[in-house]
Amino acid sequence: MQNARAVIDLRSDTVTRPTDAMRAAIAAAAVGDEQQREDPTVNLLQERAATLLGHERALFLPTATMANQIALRLHGRPGDVLVAEELSHVLVYEFGGAALHAGLVTVGLRGSYGRIRGEQVRSVAARSAYDVDQRPAVLALEDTHNSAGGTVWPLDELDDVVAAAREAGMAVHLDGARLLNAAVAQGLAPSEIARRCDTVTLCLSKGLGCPLGAVLAGSEALIERAWREKHLFGGAMRQAGIVAAAGLHALDHHVDRLADDNARARRLAEAWHAAGVPIDLESVQTNFVQIDLAPLGLGRDEALERVRAAGVALSATIHETRVRAVTHLDVDDDDVERAIACVPAALGARASR
Ligand SMILES: *Cc1c(COP(=O)(O)O)cnc(C)c1O
């Protein structure tokens, strides 16, 4: 009978579909020409997002990738250096965007749980002794950090690295695609984190459950420039309130519930760990659980196939021996209990390990 049940889809929090209430909000949205800044729903979302993130202004965009890429163009000139943790989204999942769109040279720094330290940034900056040298212009940070397994930045570490960037005259961009998962996990207002950086990206189509969309927040002057960049990317839209309505609905109804996603990931991680599934519990800080297959002697594809046959979809990560589970709006406690029951056996884990 098990096959009659739907697969529990833990591949990513991007797989969520709009709820009925979100679809109703979409249907009821007041709209106008966004490119003329006349879409009332887009305008409202931008105001809400700016306040939420502690910045003067925010800009609605189709994707967080575009938001990041626009931010890089705001902060760097061709030939300048972008510094980021080596496995950050902006370096590995946006392909050569930093080079293609902004002409930036990239320097990737080895992080711990996705976090780099001020002294690492200082040592990159120290390479340019003269004003005419290649200039480190942008520091991009990621919170939560995707490749590291959804890890968060403690504020003191964030302050340390941001201070180092400031000393070096660098702008700081925060890729906060999942910033709200971090804020909820830390019990902080999102603005408390985001206001420390010059610009911040927030993705609406991950844990927030929207079909698409993102915002970029920053100062009045930067966001005014971002409007032009958005147009250059072909991202200027028309009655985009149809989508922005989903974003407003999510900010009203899907933020506090991220605590449920975080708690479910924790429950999964602890139960799997107790059943002998190799998991670094310290990395489980929000809605991701990374499983290390190496001690199980399993290949990635084989592991994914085995759990799929047991009714659970996990996904690959950038790490060759790790797969991940991600909790989200369309996963409930019952799904979590079923995944706890079947995944350890499917992976051949033994509690006595
Ligand atoms: C998903 C993701 C993005 C890109 O979001 P899209 O809206 O899919 O373009 C950017 N940064 C991080 C950390 C992400 O996880």
Side-chain angles (χ1 to χ4, degrees):
M1 279 312 289
Q2 192 171 339
N3 289 342
R5 302 170 106 164
V7 167
I8 301 166
D9 196 345
L10 300 176
R11 288 173 301 166
S12 175
D13 47 10
T14 57
V15 302
T16 55
R17 268 154 299 195
T19 60
D20 290 344
M22 182 178 277
R23 287 173 190 269
I26 290 168
V31 295
D33 191 332
E34 182 250 29
Q35 201 175 113
Q36 304 299 322
R37 307 192 189 187
E38 287 171 6
D39 188 300
T41 307
V42 170
N43 292 343
L44 192 56
L45 175 62
Q46 290 177 159
E47 284 162 28
R48 284 277 305 273
T51 304
L52 181 76
L53 299 169
H55 283 272
E56 285 173 0
R57 295 266 301 275
L59 180 63
F60 179 57
L61 292 159
T63 66
T65 300
M66 195 188 290
N68 285 342
Q69 292 298 322
I70 288 175
L72 298 183
R73 282 180 57 85
L74 297 178
H75 299 310
R77 296 165 307 186
D80 284 347
V81 177
L82 161 66
V83 179
E85 196 279 332
E86 63 183 355
L87 299 181
S88 58
H89 195 281
V90 78
L91 294 195
V92 298
Y93 293 113
E94 297 176 25
F95 305 161
L100 181 70
H101 300 303
L104 298 178
V105 179
T106 54
V107 171
L109 299 175
R110 174 73 43 98
S112 171
Y113 293 105
R115 306 188 299 265
I116 50 179
R117 285 167 291 107
E119 69 196 59
Q120 292 176 280
V121 173
R122 281 187 195 95
S123 80
V124 175
R127 291 180 204 165
S128 34
Y130 303 102
D131 283 350
V132 294
D133 284 351
Q134 199 176 48
R135 191 177 73 104
V138 199
L139 173 68
L141 305 172
E142 193 171 308
D143 191 10
T144 66
H145 194 285
N146 186 334
S147 298
T151 49
V152 307
W153 277 83
L155 286 183
D156 58 337
E157 288 188 41
L158 185 60
D159 284 339
D160 170 53
V161 78
V162 169
R166 300 272 182 249
E167 282 164 33
M170 300 167 76
V172 182
H173 173 65
L174 178 63
D175 178 358
R178 293 186 182 80
L179 182 69
L180 301 189
N181 283 88
V184 165
Q186 291 170 296
L188 293 170
S191 59
E192 189 60 33
I193 307 167
R195 67 176 176 78
R196 290 168 149 81
C197 305
D198 297 294
T199 47
V200 55
T201 293
L202 176 69
C203 186
L204 300 170
S205 69
K206 304 275 171 72
L208 290 175
C210 299
L212 70 144
V215 292
L216 176 69
S219 68
E220 171 104 39
L222 284 172
I223 297 305
E224 207 45 55
R225 284 177 54 207
W227 271 97
R228 176 182 151 76
E229 297 296 339
K230 170 177 170 163
H231 203 108
L232 286 169
F233 272 93
M237 296 175 279
R238 301 300 183 186
Q239 284 72 35
I242 292 287
V243 183
L248 282 169
H249 178 84
L251 293 184
D252 284 334
H253 302 284
H254 295 172
V255 176
D256 293 344
R257 65 153 307 285
L258 292 172
D260 299 340
D261 294 345
N262 293 349
R264 286 181 181 126
R266 190 73 210 170
R267 161 100 184 110
L268 266 179
E270 285 175 359
W272 282 344
H273 183 263
V277 178
I279 289 166
D280 173 7
L281 289 177
E282 194 180 334
S283 73
V284 183
Q285 302 175 4
T286 55
N287 63 325
F288 287 35
V289 181
Q290 288 195 352
I291 297 173
D292 187 4
L293 301 169
L296 298 172
L298 271 182
R300 187 163 64 187
D301 292 345
E302 192 190 350
L304 292 176
E305 268 170 42
R306 286 203 202 179
V307 294
R308 177 70 91 145
V312 177
L314 303 180
S315 62
T317 70
I318 194 165
H319 311 281
E320 212 179 310
T321 68
R322 284 189 237 161
V323 295
R324 70 174 191 182
V326 182
T327 53
H328 51 76
L329 192 57
D330 294 350
V331 172
D332 62 18
D333 288 330
D334 186 46
D335 295 327
V336 166
E337 296 312 315
R338 284 169 55 208
I340 286 171
C342 70
V343 166
L347 294 177
R350 273 191 301 273
S352 59
R353 189 175 56 87

